[in-house]
């Protein structure tokens, strides 16, 4: 059994979507980022970096894995799915996974911080990170012009990039200029397991409605300092 420590963030969704797509049983532990639970001693034993997500694999001598990309690779290899074993297609999938880890995630994360949360609106910083996000979206769009998926088939690369790009509006960036990216978004959103995975650890909008809070407040409270 996989123990998943997560929160409703793009990096958290990467793991819950992966687990759903692999049909791998898991228990969910919602980490309250608002209270700093990810910095407490018990959690730091699982992830010394004090970030979500992280997992413990009970079936493998309580093996712990942290950093979302490492977790995705571990789970895909464990299930022998969503990550090719042959060198060329595997390299393609890993390349697009690292594209998200090194590009999409950090640039969208910084765009979100400066656009949404930073107390002073520093327009050059906002412009710099939003423009870089758009540039990266263009890279995806051009590749998807003649590819159904980022690799030869649906893979962890698609999951990783989608879990971030689907929330581009929160960084003040849209996908309206990227028709192939939009079509890929539609293909991803049509997958039942993808839709299920982004409801973990709980549906954000349902929590909002139950608590009578505005969606902006809910998302601000659960949004971590963005990491790779």
């Amino acid at each position: 059994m996989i123990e998943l420590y997560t929160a409703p963030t793009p990096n958290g969704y990467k793991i819950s979507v992966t687990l759903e797509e692999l049909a791998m049983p898991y228990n969910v532990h919602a980490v309250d980022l608002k209270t700093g639970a990810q910095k407490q001693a018990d959690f730091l034993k699982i992830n010394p970096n004090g970030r979500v997500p992280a997992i413990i694999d009970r079936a493998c001598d309580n093996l712990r894995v942290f950093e979302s990309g490492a977790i995705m690779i571990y789970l895909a290899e464990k299930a022998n799915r969503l990550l090719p074993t042959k060198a060329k297609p595997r390299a393609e999938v890993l390349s697009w996974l690292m594209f998200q880890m090194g590009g999409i995630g950090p640039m969208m994360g910084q765009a979100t911080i400066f656009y949404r949360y930073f107390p002073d609106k520093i327009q050059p910083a906002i412009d710099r990170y939003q423009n870089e996000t758009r540039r990266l979206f263009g890279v995806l769009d051009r590749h998807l012009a003649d590819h159904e998926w980022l690799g030869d088939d649906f893979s962890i690369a698609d999951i990783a990039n989608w879990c971030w790009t689907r929330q581009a509006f929160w960084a003040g960036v849209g996908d309206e200029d990227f028709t192939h990216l939009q079509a890929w978004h539609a293909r991803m959103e049509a997958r039942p397991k993808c839709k299920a995975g982004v409801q973990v650890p709980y549906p954000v909008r349902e929590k909002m409605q139950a608590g009578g809070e505005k969606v902006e407040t809910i998302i601000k409270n659960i949004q971590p300092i963005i990491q790779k």
Side-chain angles (χ1 to χ4, degrees):
M1 178 70 73
I2 300 294
E3 307 292 339
L4 169 62
Y5 297 83
T6 191
T9 69
N11 283 338
Y13 293 147
K14 285 162 61 176
I15 310 309
S16 49
V17 171
T18 299
L19 286 163
E20 290 289 334
E21 286 283 355
L22 292 173
M24 190 176 287
Y26 65 102
N27 293 321
V28 178
H29 305 269
V31 179
D32 191 344
L33 303 177
K34 182 172 58 174
T35 63
Q38 74 278 19
K39 303 298 183 182
Q40 299 303 308
D42 286 348
F43 187 78
L44 291 175
K45 293 176 183 177
I46 304 169
N47 183 354
N49 196 32
R51 302 287 180 89
V52 293
I55 66 166
I56 293 176
D57 188 348
R58 297 295 187 199
C60 192
D61 195 27
N62 292 331
L63 178 148
R64 66 104 186 263
V65 190
F66 60 92
E67 291 296 323
S68 57
I71 299 170
M72 296 180 88
I73 294 169
Y74 175 79
L75 294 173
E77 289 182 338
K78 182 181 178 72
N80 196 27
R81 289 180 53 211
L82 302 182
L83 178 60
T85 56
K86 293 184 178 180
K88 186 175 180 179
R90 181 182 177 86
E92 187 73 6
V93 167
L94 291 176
S95 294
W96 286 110
L97 174 62
M98 298 307 150
F99 173 86
Q100 182 275 303
M101 297 287 293
I104 291 286
M107 293 302 103
M108 281 187 61
Q110 293 299 320
T112 298
I113 288 171
F114 283 103
Y115 179 67
R116 293 279 179 182
Y117 303 120
F118 206 72
D120 299 318
K121 295 300 180 186
I122 305 174
Q123 197 60 47
I126 295 171
D127 292 344
R128 185 264 187 276
Y129 290 114
Q130 287 183 340
N131 289 337
E132 181 62 8
T133 296
R134 292 187 186 95
R135 185 190 72 79
L136 294 168
F137 279 19
V139 174
L140 287 170
D141 192 67
R142 289 189 294 275
H143 179 72
L144 291 165
D146 52 10
H147 294 83
E148 183 179 12
W149 306 112
L150 293 177
D152 290 346
D153 296 300
F154 175 77
S155 71
I156 56 174
D158 296 287
I159 295 172
N161 283 275
W162 176 70
C163 286
W164 275 89
T165 60
R166 65 185 288 273
Q167 295 188 323
F169 73 95
W170 203 246
V173 178
D175 65 359
E176 59 273 4
D177 294 329
F178 306 103
T179 57
H180 306 297
L181 184 63
Q182 286 181 332
W184 173 74
H185 278 161
R187 290 194 292 276
M188 294 294 293
E189 290 159 8
R191 297 181 70 91
K193 298 299 185 181
C194 284
K195 289 194 290 187
V198 294
Q199 301 302 309
V200 176
Y202 48 76
V204 172
R205 291 191 179 277
E206 289 182 14
K207 183 177 177 67
M208 173 197 70
Q209 293 165 355
E213 297 185 59
K214 292 182 179 180
V215 66
E216 291 85 356
T217 301
I218 289 289
I219 296 178
K220 185 174 182 178
N221 285 341
I222 62 177
Q223 187 80 15
I225 298 301
I226 301 296
Q227 72 271 7
K228 291 183 182 179

